[in-house]
Amino acid sequence: MKIGIVGAGMVGSAAGFALTLGGGATEIVLVDRNAARAMAEAEDISHAVPFGRPVLVRAGDYDDLAGAGVVILAAGVSQKPGETRLALLERNAAVFRAVVGEVLRVAPDTILLVATNPVDIMTHVATRLSGLPPGRVIGSGTILDTARFRSLLGRHLGIAPQSVHAYVLGEHGDSEVLAWSNARAGSVPIMAFAAQVAAAMTAAVRAEIDTGVRRAAYRIIEGKGATWHGIGAGLARIVRAIAADEAAVLSVSTLTRDIAGQGEVALSVPRVVGRRGVTADLMPDLDAGETAALAASAQLLADTARKLGL
């Protein structure tokens, strides 16, 4: 499948690199307003092709996105000193007005995969601007938060994170909800599994894992300025699910009707992802505290969307 990436910064280039090593694309086209940056990233990534999967990696312009099955939107502006979150959102929405129109002009049948932060609101923006069905505008959402949750649970339990089945729901941000009540190791509830392997899941351990997931981005940003490897791999995972028509269950964000008492809001729950994009939403059973927390997360996102005029 041909994949377009608009925005050849650290996130866009990391996604291209992950796709090159892990598969899922026959061609990757990087587009950026800084053409020299796009060309440099494409050339650098192409030098990894002999170590990965056969794929053509090149830079181009919007016309070169024709025929792309998925276009990753990783373009956006950075927050200025003293700028409010809403003002930043308005500027990124302006960027998307230009980008989304140009992408759909040449690739009207593509699936838009949104990586630009704040990703849930930008997914809402992209859905409104594109006019596409919500299932064809997918935000990376909490796919990275879910990976962090599974990684920390696996480390505590002494098992591979791939054997942990647990999700982070709601906003990709401070109001996200770690769904402890339905977390599993294999088919065993996480608390029962912890007891069986003598890795007590105490309140202190749970709080440490919660903080580890919720504050991960802040720690990474403090150390190196931004995050890109994890989200790049997460974007590549979503692309592979689409390209191979996997019907994989992934925690991604789409514009959703009537969730947690909100009319329409973009947030993450587990969803079935395949060739046609998102084809089903799967609402997990939550305890009362998690249900209330998800409602609060949805309310926060809905309020922000309304302030932006969505």
Side-chain angles (χ1 to χ4, degrees):
M1 177 179 280
K2 180 177 180 178
I3 308 300
I5 301 175
V6 179
M10 298 309 299
V11 170
S13 60
F17 181 65
L19 281 166
T20 297
L21 292 187
T26 56
E27 181 180 359
I28 300 170
V29 180
L30 278 74
V31 177
D32 196 282
R33 63 179 181 177
N34 182 342
R37 174 65 182 268
M39 186 173 296
E41 293 289 1
E43 184 173 359
D44 194 12
I45 294 169
S46 71
H47 296 161
V49 170
F51 307 112
R53 307 292 179 89
V55 56
L56 171 63
V57 184
R58 64 188 180 94
D61 57 25
Y62 285 106
D63 288 342
D64 293 300
L65 299 177
V70 178
V71 175
I72 297 172
L73 303 181
V77 294
S78 300
Q79 194 164 13
K80 296 177 180 178
E83 184 177 32
T84 67
R85 187 169 181 265
L86 187 60
L88 173 64
L89 275 169
E90 289 170 344
R91 290 201 297 130
N92 269 329
V95 171
F96 267 36
R97 286 188 192 96
V99 168
V100 170
E102 284 294 285
V103 169
L104 293 182
R105 176 179 61 82
V106 297
D109 298 321
T110 196
I111 290 171
L112 299 178
L113 177 52
V114 181
T116 302
N117 276 321
V119 68
D120 300 294
I121 299 298
M122 296 312 297
T123 300
H124 198 149
V125 168
T127 306
R128 286 282 185 260
L129 290 174
S130 68
L132 293 173
R136 284 178 54 198
V137 183
I138 305 171
S140 56
T142 60
I143 194 166
L144 178 55
D145 310 276
T146 290
R148 291 165 174 162
F149 191 21
R150 294 177 179 183
S151 177
L152 291 175
L153 283 172
R155 186 180 302 173
H156 177 72
L157 298 171
I159 61 174
Q162 291 87 346
S163 296
V164 177
H165 308 288
Y167 292 92
V168 177
L169 314 175
E171 179 197 19
H172 171 57
D174 293 341
S175 73
E176 64 191 22
V177 181
L178 280 64
W180 285 94
S181 64
N182 55 57
R184 299 284 188 274
S187 62
V188 181
I190 211 77
M191 302 300 285
F193 187 94
Q196 289 179 31
V197 299
M201 194 68 71
T202 63
V205 168
R206 286 182 54 162
E208 183 179 356
I209 290 174
D210 185 285
T211 300
V213 174
R214 203 176 296 277
R215 304 297 297 177
Y218 295 100
R219 292 194 308 276
I220 294 168
I221 290 168
E222 182 179 352
K224 69 174 195 175
T227 68
W228 57 82
H229 292 303
I231 189 55
L235 292 164
R237 178 66 188 95
I238 298 167
V239 169
R240 288 196 297 273
I242 295 168
D245 198 18
E246 289 183 17
V249 177
L250 304 171
S251 56
V252 294
S253 182
T254 64
L255 190 60
T256 309
R257 290 183 180 276
D258 194 23
I259 188 165
Q262 299 302 316
E264 276 193 331
V265 64
L267 49 59
S268 290
V269 296
R271 304 181 196 273
V272 179
V273 181
R275 176 78 65 170
R276 293 182 291 128
V278 168
T279 56
D281 302 338
L282 307 173
M283 265 308 300
D285 293 327
L286 304 174
D287 65 25
E290 292 162 351
T291 299
L294 182 59
S297 186
Q299 179 73 60
L300 183 152
L301 288 165
D303 288 346
T304 302
R306 280 191 285 270
K307 289 176 184 176
L308 197 59
L310 297 173

